[in-house]
C-alpha cells in the first residue's frame, strides 16, 4: 500500500453550549463544555487512518494536556504521530466555540503551535516527504510553509493534494503549479476564482484553475454532490447520496482523506471521488468531527446496502 503524509493543523475544539451568545461585557453561565479533537489536518489524518491507510502526520502542538488529547485521537485511528513536533513555547491550537440555543456559533481560533510550523520543519523532515507517495496540505498552517512543502513534494515527484481551506486573503498563485488535485468547496472556489453564482459557472471556474496549472479539480457541493474536472477522467458530476444530514462537520475533511486513500490503492480519481462521496454521506449523518468518521468496514457495508436497495 502507498504511504500518505498529511502536513497540517491540529486543534482542540472547546464547545460550550449557551442559552444566548454573550454581548460585550456580559458574563453568562453554561453547565457543560465538550473538548472535541479537530483541526483540518488532524481530521484528515484520522479519517485516512480509520479508512485503513498507511498514514503519518506532520504538524505542531504545544507541550500541554490538549496535545495529549489530540495525539491520542490520531493514534486511536492508527495514524503515526511520532513526527508531530512538540513546542515548549506555544500552546496547542484551540478553537473556543459557543453554540447558542438557535444553533448559531461564535468561534475564536488560537492558532498556537500550528502557526509555528515552518519551512525549516519541512527540511528537517524531508525524509517523511521522500517516503510518502501522496502528500495532503490544507491552509491552517502558514501559507509559506504550504508553498514550500508542496514545491518540495512536487520536485520529489509525489502526488500533491490541496484542500484550500481556509482561503487566505492573498492566495499565492505559484502554489497551483505544485498541486495535482485541488478540492475546494463552493465558497472556496468562489474565493479562489472571484466568480460569483458559482453553481451555474463550475466549468468556467474549474477551467480557470486548470489554466493556472492544477491538473485536477474536485469541487464538493454539499448536498449537491461533487463536480470533477480532471486531466485523466474528464468532466463529470457525482450526485450526493440522499441522507438525513445532522452535522456536516468534517464532511470535506473526510472527503479529502477518502480520496487520498483510494488513490493510494491505485483507483482513478473518478472512482476515488465516488468512494469519498459515500464516506462523507456517512459522516454528515453523525455528530462531531473525528468521532463521526467511519471505518473501512462500515463504508463497505454501507455501499453494499445502498447498491442492494438500488437493485431491489
Ligand atoms: P465542506 O465540509 O468542506 O463545506 P461540503 O459541504 O461540500 O464540504 O461537503 C463535502 C461532501 O460531503 C459533499 O461533496 C458530499 O459528498 C457530502 N455531503 C455534504 N453534505 C451532504 C448532505 N446534506 N447529504 C449528502 N452528502 C453530503
Amino acid at each position: 500500500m502507498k504511504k500518505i503524509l498529511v502536513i497540517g493543523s491540529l486543534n482542540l475544539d472547546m464547545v460550550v453550549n449557551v442559552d444566548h451568545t454573550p454581548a460585550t461585557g456580559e458574563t453568562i453561565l453554561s453547565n457543560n463544555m465538550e473538548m472535541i479533537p479537530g483541526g483540518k489536518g488532524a481530521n484528515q489524518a484520522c479519517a485516512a487512518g480509520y479508512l485503513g491507510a498507511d498514514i503519518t502526520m506532520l504538524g505542531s502542538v504545544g507541550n500541554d494536556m490538549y496535545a495529549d488529547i489530540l495525539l491520542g485521537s490520531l493514534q486511536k485511528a492508527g495514524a503515526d504521530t511520532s513526527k508531530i513536533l512538540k513546542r515548549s513555547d506555544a500552546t496547542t491550537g484551540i478553537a473556543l466555540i459557543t453554540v447558542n440555543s438557535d444553533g448559531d456559533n461564535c468561534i475564536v481560533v488560537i492558532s498556537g503551535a500550528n502557526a509555528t510550523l515552518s519551512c525549516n520543519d519541512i527540511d528537517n523532515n524531508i525524509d517523511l516527504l521522500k517516503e510518502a507517495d501522496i502528500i495532503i496540505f490544507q491552509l491552517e498552517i502558514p501559507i509559506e510553509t504550504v508553498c514550500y512543502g508542496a514545491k518540495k513534494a512536487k520536485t520529489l515527484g509525489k502526488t500533491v493534494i490541496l484542500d484550500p481551506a481556509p482561503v487566505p486573503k492573498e492566495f499565492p498563485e505559484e502554489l497551483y503549479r505544485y498541486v495535482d488535485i485541488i478540492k475546494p468547496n463552493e465558497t472556496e472556489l468562489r474565493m479562489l476564482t472571484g466568480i460569483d453564482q458559482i453553481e451555474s459557472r463550475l466549468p468556467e471556474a474549474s477551467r480557470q484553475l486548470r489554466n493556472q496549472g492544477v491538473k485536477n479539480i474536485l469541487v464538493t457541493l454539499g448536498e449537491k454532490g461533487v463536480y470533477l474536472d480532471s486531466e485523466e477522467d474528464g468532466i463529470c458530476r457525482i450526485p450526493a447520496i440522499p441522507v438525513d444530514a445532522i452535522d456536516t462537520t468534517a464532511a470535506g475533511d473526510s472527503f479529502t482523506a477518502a480520496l487520498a486513500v483510494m488513490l493510494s490503492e491505485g483507483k482513478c480519481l473518478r472512482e476515488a471521488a465516488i468512494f469519498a462521496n459515500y464516506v462523507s454521506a456517512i459522516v454528515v449523518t453523525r455528530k462531531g468531527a473525528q468521532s463521526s468518521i467511519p471505518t473501512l468496514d462500515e463504508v463497505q457495508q454501507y455501499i453494499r446496502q445502498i447498491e442492494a436497495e438500488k437493485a431491489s
Side-chain angles (χ1 to χ4, degrees):
M1 192 196 299
K2 291 183 175 172
K3 278 176 171 290
I4 303 175
L5 173 65
V6 170
I7 302 183
S9 58
L10 302 95
N11 277 327
L12 192 62
D13 296 348
M14 307 222 180
V15 185
V16 182
N17 288 103
V18 290
D19 187 47
H20 65 274
T21 304
T24 306
E26 184 184 10
T27 299
I28 58 170
L29 298 178
S30 169
N31 51 17
N32 81 314
M33 181 181 80
E34 275 185 281
M35 289 203 260
I36 303 175
K40 296 189 73 63
N43 289 348
Q44 293 177 8
C46 248
Y50 282 122
L51 295 169
D54 181 339
I55 170 78
T56 301
M57 176 153 189
L58 177 60
S60 171
V61 291
N63 192 6
D64 47 37
M65 63 174 270
Y66 310 125
D68 298 339
I69 297 171
L70 288 167
L71 299 187
S73 183
L74 281 166
Q75 286 154 6
K76 191 171 152 216
D80 181 347
T81 61
S82 60
K83 297 296 188 299
I84 292 178
L85 304 162
K86 276 206 166 181
R87 311 288 196 208
S88 51
D89 53 355
T91 167
T92 294
I94 288 173
L96 297 174
I97 306 173
T98 57
V99 183
N100 71 19
S101 54
D102 293 329
D104 295 322
N105 59 30
C106 281
I107 307 179
V108 179
V109 176
I110 301 129
S111 297
N114 293 309
T116 70
L117 197 71
S118 66
C119 301
N120 269 344
D121 294 325
I122 300 283
D123 282 337
N124 293 338
N125 288 281
I126 199 70
D127 285 348
L128 275 186
L129 281 81
K130 285 183 182 161
E131 285 161 17
D133 299 287
I134 298 173
I135 304 182
I136 313 177
F137 296 90
Q138 328 74 34
L139 301 178
E140 288 181 336
I141 57 172
I143 189 77
E144 313 79 68
T145 309
V146 174
C147 262
Y148 187 79
K151 185 175 183 181
K152 288 269 169 190
K154 191 74 204 151
T155 310
L156 290 165
K158 309 301 175 181
T159 300
V160 177
I161 302 180
L162 176 66
D163 189 334
V167 177
K169 277 202 190 89
E170 309 243 329
F171 186 92
E173 304 230 327
E174 71 159 307
L175 183 51
Y176 288 123
R177 296 203 300 275
Y178 314 137
V179 172
D180 294 289
I181 302 165
I182 193 166
K183 190 225 67 80
N185 65 15
E186 278 177 291
T187 310
E188 290 145 10
L189 184 64
R190 182 173 50 72
M191 291 171 76
L192 289 171
T193 60
I195 295 177
D196 287 330
Q197 280 132 18
I198 202 83
E199 205 197 328
S200 56
R201 296 172 72 190
L202 289 168
E204 181 188 343
S206 71
R207 187 57 37 186
Q208 188 172 314
L209 296 190
R210 291 281 301 270
N211 289 342
Q212 280 169 296
V214 189
K215 293 189 208 86
N216 303 286
I217 326 282
L218 262 163
V219 190
T220 58
L221 305 163
E223 63 191 10
K224 294 175 279 144
V226 183
Y227 178 86
L228 168 67
D229 181 351
S230 146
E231 193 172 73
E232 284 129 46
D233 298 317
I235 294 180
C236 73
R237 265 309 263 262
I238 303 167
I241 311 296
V243 292
D244 287 327
I246 58 160
D247 180 359
T248 60
T249 313
D253 290 336
S254 56
F255 188 96
T256 303
L259 194 75
V261 175
M262 284 298 111
L263 295 176
S264 79
E265 291 181 5
K267 299 279 191 287
C268 70
L269 194 55
R270 188 166 175 276
E271 284 176 297
I274 290 171
F275 178 84
N277 194 43
Y278 279 111
V279 172
S280 299
I282 299 177
V283 168
V284 301
T285 61
R286 300 176 176 178
K287 269 194 90 60
Q290 294 174 12
S291 56
S292 68
I293 295 161
T295 62
L296 185 60
D297 278 351
E298 285 177 300
V299 182
Q300 284 167 340
Q301 205 180 328
Y302 182 70
I303 295 174
R304 279 196 296 272
Q305 184 192 324
I306 294 201
E307 297 292 321
E309 278 167 18
K310 268 195 218 155
S312 66

